[in-house]
Amino acid sequence: MAPLTALFRTYGKYAFLLAIAFGLAGGIALGVTGVMSKLYLGLMAIAVIFFFLWWTWLWQRSQGFLGRRSTQSSANVIASTLAVLVILTLINYIAFRYPVAWDLTENQRFTLAPQSQSLVAELEKPLKVWIFDDAPSEKDRRLLQNYQRFSDQFSFEFVHPDRRPKLVQDFNVQNKGDVFIEYGDKKQLVQNLLSFQQREDLSEIQLTNAIAKAQRQEIPQVYLVQGHGELPLNNEPGGISTAVTALENLGVTVQPLNVVTDGGIPEDADAVVIAGPTRKFLAPEIATLKQYTDQGGNLLVMVSPEADAGLEDLLQPWGVSFDPRLVIDLSGAGGVFGLDPTVPIFNRYGNHPITEKLQGAIAIFPLVRPVATKEQPHIQATTLVEASDLMYATQLISEDLQPNPETDLLGPFDVAVALTREGKESSSAGETETSSNSEPEAINPSPNPSASPSLSPTANGTNQPEAMPENDGNQAGDREESPAGENEDSGNDQAQTAQQNGDPELPSAKMVVVGSAAFATNAWFNEAVNGDIFLNSVQWLAENVDQPLNVRAKDPTDRRINLGVRRATVLGWLTWVIVPLIGLGLAVFTWWRQR
């Protein structure tokens, strides 16, 4: 016992240092992780024991030790040190639990897009991201930590494929670098980080789209009408493959549709897209599309100024029509991007779920025409994209680009609108479909030969173009006699009369009409918010989404400068020879003057 007492008297003064070391180790680990681990609690307990031993050593040291001035000074130093350590620990704990960051980059490349934030914040059950990679990237880790800040339901884990073969087998991992998400009983491949032996960064766009796809209960079916010179589905600049890929990444099934050869519109169609037709639709096709909307189908129509698709009879019941004139932008905003006045830049949007979160952003619509609306019973029209006061629509572009008030349409006016028809409930819609299916299968009503009437200004006060009939002389030749005869004509007339009298005979349906198709092509889809407008429109139509739709994640802006051989040589001489010689010459001149 005596040797232990002597040892304690000799080395007891160092117990205080051990108490601080164990206390910091356990306190910081406990504060940062927030996990009540036995290891962390054990470290804290050991710190308390050593502190008690040190205090005992002080008490036994000598009588009156605590009353000395040196003891009081040392106690003040110790108390101040402990207070500083406690404050630093609390600051680190608060910073870890409630992080705050400022993203000062040009396009907010280190901040999640609004759609990513809302998707993660609305997770109803745990979602985990698995990265099967033997060399985790800190950049990918930071991106996943950004997701984790918005929901406790989001988690991630980096897995070494060679060390956990059972997990690799469960996810059916094919290659190193595979990224999966696990949401409930769904396991879905997101991305492969190794492409042709080149490592890629984890893409926010692909991860966000995968999360959105995993949350879907049903897969929307969207059909793109073909056969009338519509935008091709290939990857050429005038194609629409980029838009199709973006829809598929959101979990939407996209298929081409030929109304004639495919025997009509499939029953599972959640939305039908008519993108840039250049030839007229046949009368039976118009009748089929009209029947689709009459039974509650949703339609997206995008037509460029130079096209005459003959869609008047389809759009007339909705009170909407295209003006054939071309929109000219006199604001000069396009000059910043090297664009001519026939490529207007828009930044005025209506209060609608499609565009509500796009306020302040710009959209670029090349070759766009005005869209006119007329008040119809049970049809609510809302502006999506509106031309400014510095725009006008004309059929004859003058050399000085100045508008003619007598023949041109002066802004503001609409170039894209969304329409909602309030009708029967879904049960009533089913009755309507049943009753229509009981009629003869042949559908070929005679189109209305009369031209559309003049259109009045909309409720928001924008000017609306008068309907200008296109190729009226060809309408009679396009008419075909209905096999059902006069009975079918009279039935259609009664339905139209009932709708005009205010009776909600038709089920609810939606339609989006845009005076440009080029804005959604591969060449323009990723410019400004063009892609957001297209994707939001399809999502609003196909998924019956009424809350504001979000802005999609953006790829970081490529700021690399590609120099030619001559410019690279000049830049090299400036950097390594001329500028250093100028600096050396200034130094020699300064030294000479001081001499």
Side-chain angles (χ1 to χ4, degrees):
M1 191 67 181
L4 289 177
T5 303
L7 190 66
F8 175 72
R9 289 177 179 176
T10 304
Y11 297 102
K13 58 183 177 181
Y14 299 111
F16 174 69
L17 298 177
L18 294 174
I20 292 179
F22 282 99
L24 287 176
I28 293 176
L30 184 63
V32 170
T33 62
V35 179
M36 302 295 289
S37 171
K38 293 181 180 180
L39 175 62
Y40 305 154
L41 294 177
L43 292 174
M44 298 290 290
I46 293 174
V48 172
I49 293 173
F50 276 112
F51 185 80
F52 177 76
L53 292 174
W54 174 75
W55 187 260
T56 303
W57 176 81
L58 286 179
W59 184 264
Q60 294 180 353
R61 178 74 183 273
S62 63
Q63 208 60 323
F65 174 78
L66 297 178
R68 296 178 183 177
R69 179 177 296 179
S70 60
T71 304
Q72 293 176 356
S73 300
S74 300
N76 289 334
V77 172
I78 293 171
S80 302
T81 303
L82 289 175
V84 171
L85 292 175
V86 170
I87 292 173
L88 291 177
T89 302
L90 291 175
I91 291 175
N92 278 277
Y93 174 77
I94 294 173
F96 178 81
R97 297 292 293 177
Y98 308 100
V100 177
W102 290 272
D103 190 352
L104 303 180
T105 56
E106 177 190 7
N107 61 346
Q108 302 292 291
R109 61 176 301 184
F110 298 112
T111 303
L112 295 183
Q115 187 195 29
S116 303
Q117 298 177 19
S118 62
L119 277 175
V120 176
E122 296 170 1
L123 287 174
E124 298 178 355
K125 49 188 176 182
L127 182 143
K128 190 168 185 177
V129 180
W130 298 87
I131 303 95
F132 294 88
D133 195 358
D134 54 1
S137 167
E138 285 302 316
K139 186 175 181 180
D140 295 344
R141 190 186 300 274
R142 287 195 298 269
L143 174 62
L144 294 169
Q145 289 172 344
N146 284 339
Y147 278 91
Q148 202 170 33
R149 292 192 181 102
F150 292 93
S151 176
D152 294 334
Q153 302 275 27
F154 184 94
S155 61
F156 63 92
E157 183 176 347
F158 288 90
V159 179
H160 195 298
D162 298 333
R163 296 175 183 173
R164 302 181 67 178
K166 180 62 168 61
L167 196 61
V168 169
Q169 184 179 1
D170 291 342
F171 279 88
N172 192 24
V173 178
Q174 301 296 323
N175 303 286
K176 284 186 179 181
D178 281 351
V179 180
F180 286 83
I181 62 172
E182 183 178 11
Y183 185 68
D185 57 350
K186 298 179 180 179
K187 295 178 181 178
Q188 179 180 327
L189 178 65
V190 177
Q191 181 184 356
N192 182 270
L193 302 179
L194 295 174
S195 177
F196 299 102
Q197 303 302 319
Q198 296 292 326
R199 181 171 295 276
E200 299 178 352
D201 295 330
L202 181 60
S203 170
E204 179 190 350
I205 295 178
Q206 296 189 45
L207 181 56
T208 297
N209 290 337
I211 295 174
K213 187 184 299 185
Q215 289 182 297
R216 297 183 189 278
Q217 300 297 328
E218 298 180 359
I219 300 178
Q221 304 289 329
V222 175
Y223 290 87
L224 292 175
V225 176
Q226 298 289 293
H228 314 87
E230 286 88 354
L231 300 179
L233 303 181
N234 54 31
N235 58 359
E236 64 184 33
I240 198 173
S241 61
T242 303
V244 172
T245 301
L247 286 174
E248 292 174 343
N249 289 337
L250 289 174
V252 178
T253 300
V254 183
Q255 300 182 49
L257 170 66
N258 190 305
V259 178
V260 176
T261 60
D262 293 341
I265 299 175
E267 294 182 0
D268 64 348
D270 294 300
V272 173
V273 179
I274 301 176
T278 57
R279 296 188 296 272
K280 277 194 172 184
F281 282 69
L282 300 176
E285 293 177 299
I286 296 295
T288 301
L289 290 169
K290 188 175 184 303
Q291 183 188 35
Y292 171 71
T293 58
D294 288 348
Q295 294 177 356
N298 304 311
L299 199 62
L300 170 59
V301 183
M302 305 183 299
V303 179
S304 298
E306 69 277 6
D308 176 22
L311 299 175
E312 293 81 8
D313 290 339
L314 175 63
L315 302 178
Q316 188 273 334
W318 291 76
V320 62
S321 61
F322 288 107
D323 189 288
R325 291 172 281 194
L326 179 68
V327 177
I328 303 296
D329 186 2
L330 297 180
S331 66
V336 178
F337 304 95
L339 305 175
D340 60 56
T342 61
V343 186
I345 295 181
F346 301 92
N347 62 353
R348 297 170 62 170
Y349 308 100
N351 185 18
H352 191 274
I354 294 177
T355 55
E356 185 168 338
K357 291 194 175 181
L358 302 181
Q359 304 298 333
I362 64 170
I364 305 176
F365 279 22
L367 301 178
V368 61
R369 65 200 298 183
V371 176
T373 54
K374 177 183 178 182
E375 185 175 351
Q376 291 280 61
H378 303 286
I379 300 290
Q380 179 181 357
T382 305
T383 297
L384 291 182
V385 183
E386 183 183 37
S388 69
D389 301 337
L390 298 177
M391 299 180 186
Y392 72 97
T394 182
Q395 282 187 312
L396 183 62
I397 303 177
S398 59
E399 294 183 0
D400 56 0
L401 295 179
Q402 294 304 311
N404 184 349
E406 297 182 358
T407 59
D408 299 335
L409 176 67
L410 307 181
F413 48 79
D414 296 337
V415 297
V417 296
L419 304 108
T420 303
R421 183 178 65 209
E422 300 175 0
K424 290 183 178 182
E425 300 296 332
S426 57
S427 59
S428 301
E431 296 173 3
T432 304
E433 184 175 358
T434 303
S435 61
S436 61
N437 289 339
S438 62
E439 295 179 359
E441 194 170 309
I443 302 172
N444 188 19
S446 174
N448 185 2
S450 59
S452 302
S454 298
L455 303 182
S456 58
T458 57
N460 59 12
T462 60
N463 297 330
Q464 292 298 326
E466 294 183 357
M468 302 182 69
E470 304 178 26
N471 302 330
D472 288 344
N474 296 332
Q475 290 184 356
D478 292 338
R479 298 191 196 111
E480 296 182 15
E481 207 172 277
S482 170
E486 297 179 357
N487 292 333
E488 183 177 347
D489 292 338
S490 61
N492 290 328
D493 292 340
Q494 290 176 1
Q496 185 174 356
T497 304
Q499 187 177 354
Q500 292 176 352
N501 291 336
D503 297 332
E505 292 293 332
L506 301 177
S508 301
K510 296 178 180 179
M511 182 181 293
V512 174
V513 181
V514 186
S516 172
F519 84 99
T521 59
N522 299 332
W524 296 96
F525 183 84
N526 291 319
E527 298 295 333
V529 295
N530 289 13
D532 294 300
I533 293 176
F534 177 83
L535 295 177
N536 286 357
S537 299
V538 175
Q539 188 176 357
W540 180 71
L541 292 170
E543 302 184 50
N544 198 25
V545 179
D546 289 323
Q547 69 268 21
L549 298 168
N550 295 289
V551 181
R552 268 73 189 175
K554 303 294 183 185
D555 282 325
T557 304
D558 188 357
R559 293 298 181 192
R560 291 175 295 183
I561 301 176
N562 296 320
L563 298 177
V565 176
R566 181 179 178 183
R567 293 183 178 180
T569 303
V570 172
L571 183 62
W573 275 91
L574 286 173
T575 305
W576 298 103
V577 179
I578 297 177
V579 173
L581 286 177
I582 292 175
L584 181 62
L586 291 175
V588 172
F589 177 74
T590 303
W591 172 80
W592 179 77
R593 290 196 60 182
Q594 290 178 349
R595 294 280 295 176

